Amino acid sequence: MDKVKKSDAAVVKKESEAAAQAAVKPYFAGIDVVKILALVLVVCIHFYLYNGFYYFSLTNSSAIGPIAFRWVAYSCVPLFMISTGYLMKNKTFSAKFYAGLIRIIAIYVIISIICIKFKEHHFHEVFTPWKILKGYLEFNNAQYGWYINYYIAIFLIIPFLNLAINGCKTSWQKFFLVAATVFITIFAKSFYLGFNQNEQIKAAPDYLEGAWPIAYYLTGAFIRDCHPKRNVRNKLMILAAFALSLSFLTYSSYKHTLSNDVNDNFFLSRHFNQYGAYPVYAVAVCIFLLLFDITTKNKGVKFVLRQLSGLTLGTYLISYVFDNMFYNGWRLSENSAHHEGFNQKYIEVGDRFAHWYEIIPKVFICSLICGFLIHKLYDLCAFLLKKAATTLKNKESDEVVKAKK
């Protein structure tokens, strides 16, 4: 009898646990996954930048694999831009919204100081007050700070971009807004008629081609409202579009590279080697659509993903330091031993590709740890300032009350 009761109790317990698990609202972790992937791809695209790939003759089909992955890694910045639109789509004009820039600028300033000190020590650069000011305003004190240049510019007009897309009454109106923006920026920037390089003509009005970041932002905002249903059929269609876009990018750049005999067959893509190119746009959108709707009910996974995705800015900016240290070697001081760099350890570019696992995880992990410390430093300073302001405000209130008495 006791065994039966225990068995029934166990069944009831399992059912209650299952019900509790079902009641937990799934967390849409896909956007965190996209941002983390974009961060990893940043380290990967810099692998191409620092390992000599762009100064290596590519004359046979063995180059197709590296070229293909290079284009996948190249989607890192567009993925960040699409994510911005997806996350910021409902932001409105307010002082609170614009106060969000403080965190971005503060982290940029902190990392710029670190990069300046690094360049003084590592490259023996001399920084005058004017050069430092110039570097801050031109966003190159932190070498990857160009992204802050973009982010501040787009941040300032986000509430008004949102008014435009949220003001559309139907999904078709939103689609046309995004399609028109993509057409006059990304498509106009990179689509040409004809195959003769000297006689090709652009096929669309291109006066606003520099506004392609807005196209990525609006694309993310559109996906937030009008995303495809999550099913196998749609995922397979998106995967097919991704494969087609990547194949086109790879084949075209491979053919251009083979014809680049004047420059020893160095990597060449005549029209698409820019973030505002339509095949790059297609690859990035497909990757985003494949991943953005991933969900999880696991609290541990949710916590880890949220923490990592919140570190992307600092990790991205500080990776410049570790790129230069680990690829080219470093020393603590003029009299200390020189630590061998990855490029010194492996002389041939082919060997560097074969040993990618020795450098990419190393740069990523070190950048992530340093980015974590920088973000936490900012959080601590912000907390202390907020606490000090609250204390001061309470003190002033108490003094006013005493004065009235």
Side-chain angles (χ1 to χ4, degrees):
M1 192 69 176
D2 291 339
K3 289 183 178 180
V4 173
K5 288 182 179 179
K6 288 181 179 179
S7 177
D8 290 342
V11 170
V12 170
K13 185 178 179 181
K14 286 183 179 180
E15 288 178 351
S16 62
E17 288 177 352
Q21 185 70 16
V24 176
K25 189 177 180 181
Y27 172 67
F28 281 86
I31 195 66
D32 293 329
V33 172
V34 169
K35 290 174 67 179
I36 295 166
L37 173 64
L39 183 58
V40 173
L41 293 180
V42 164
V43 178
C44 292
I45 197 63
H46 290 160
F47 173 69
Y48 283 80
L49 178 64
Y50 288 98
N51 72 5
F53 173 78
Y54 297 114
Y55 304 99
F56 181 73
S57 295
L58 306 172
T59 55
N60 57 61
S61 59
S62 63
I64 292 177
I67 290 174
F69 186 74
R70 188 263 180 193
W71 284 119
V72 174
Y74 198 68
S75 67
C76 55
V77 170
L79 286 174
F80 278 128
M81 293 179 171
I82 297 170
S83 298
T84 302
Y86 185 90
L87 292 170
M88 297 284 195
K89 184 253 173 192
N90 294 318
K91 298 296 182 181
T92 56
F93 180 84
S94 67
K96 183 179 179 181
F97 170 74
Y98 285 111
L101 272 176
I102 296 174
R103 181 173 183 271
I104 305 300
I105 295 173
I107 290 174
Y108 164 66
V109 169
I110 292 170
I111 295 177
S112 292
I113 293 171
I114 295 172
C115 289
I116 288 171
K117 294 301 179 183
F118 173 76
K119 285 187 274 190
E120 286 179 336
H121 172 77
H122 192 74
F123 297 117
H124 306 292
E125 286 191 36
V126 177
F127 284 86
T128 63
W130 182 257
K131 184 177 180 180
I132 293 173
L133 176 62
K134 184 174 184 288
Y136 274 119
L137 296 179
E138 295 182 353
F139 301 95
N140 55 28
N141 281 339
Q143 211 68 15
Y144 302 154
W146 72 267
Y147 185 79
I148 303 299
N149 192 350
Y150 145 76
Y151 194 82
I152 291 176
I154 202 77
F155 197 96
L156 292 174
I157 61 172
I158 278 175
F160 309 103
L161 293 176
N162 291 345
L163 284 174
I165 194 163
N166 293 332
C168 295
K169 296 179 180 179
T170 66
S171 298
W172 278 109
Q173 288 181 352
K174 293 180 181 180
F175 175 79
F176 187 80
L177 172 63
V178 175
T181 307
V182 170
F183 180 75
I184 62 176
T185 57
I186 290 175
F187 192 78
K189 186 180 182 70
S190 55
F191 186 80
Y192 287 76
L193 295 175
F195 298 99
N196 188 317
Q197 183 183 359
N198 298 321
E199 297 180 358
Q200 287 178 328
I201 56 175
K202 288 188 175 183
D206 64 347
Y207 196 80
L208 299 178
E209 65 177 16
W212 54 267
I214 295 177
Y216 279 112
Y217 178 89
L218 291 175
T219 298
F222 176 78
I223 294 172
R224 179 73 176 264
D225 277 350
C226 309
H227 54 80
K229 291 183 179 179
R230 185 183 179 187
N231 55 48
V232 175
R233 177 176 172 272
N234 284 340
K235 292 297 182 184
L236 288 176
M237 290 177 63
I238 295 167
L239 186 62
F242 166 76
L244 183 63
S245 302
L246 182 60
S247 298
F248 174 66
L249 268 174
T250 303
Y251 177 75
S252 64
S253 53
Y254 177 63
K255 294 295 288 184
H256 291 167
T257 300
L258 289 182
S259 66
N260 190 29
D261 49 4
V262 175
N263 295 312
D264 296 325
N265 300 108
F266 292 165
F267 175 82
L268 175 67
S269 180
R270 291 196 180 95
H271 305 309
F272 305 141
N273 198 30
Q274 51 192 339
Y275 297 124
Y278 68 88
V280 175
Y281 171 85
V283 167
V285 171
C286 287
I287 293 175
F288 188 89
L289 289 174
L290 287 171
L291 301 174
F292 83 102
D293 54 0
I294 293 174
T295 59
T296 181
K297 291 183 178 181
N298 189 298
K299 292 182 179 180
V301 172
K302 173 184 174 181
F303 176 79
V304 171
L305 290 177
R306 290 189 69 175
Q307 293 299 312
L308 291 177
S309 67
L311 303 175
T312 52
L313 178 63
T315 304
Y316 167 59
L317 292 176
I318 201 64
S319 64
Y320 166 77
V321 172
F322 296 104
D323 280 336
N324 282 276
M325 284 176 59
F326 295 149
Y327 281 98
N328 302 316
W330 56 282
R331 60 178 58 185
L332 290 174
S333 66
E334 291 294 331
N335 299 321
S336 63
H338 176 80
H339 295 268
E340 185 180 44
F342 180 76
N343 289 346
Q344 296 162 338
K345 183 177 180 181
Y346 301 105
I347 304 301
E348 298 295 329
V349 173
D351 291 335
R352 294 170 186 171
F353 269 97
H355 294 85
W356 64 267
Y357 54 85
E358 293 184 21
I359 187 70
I360 291 178
K362 188 177 180 180
V363 171
F364 178 76
I365 292 171
C366 290
S367 301
L368 185 65
I369 292 171
C370 198
F372 170 81
L373 295 174
I374 291 168
H375 277 263
K376 293 308 174 185
L377 173 62
Y378 170 81
D379 292 340
L380 176 62
C381 292
F383 171 77
L384 293 175
L385 286 173
K386 187 176 180 180
K387 188 175 180 180
T390 302
T391 302
L392 183 62
K393 186 177 180 180
N394 291 338
K395 186 178 179 180
E396 290 177 350
S397 298
D398 292 341
E399 290 177 355
V400 170
V401 171
K402 288 179 180 179
K404 287 182 178 180
K405 289 181 180 181

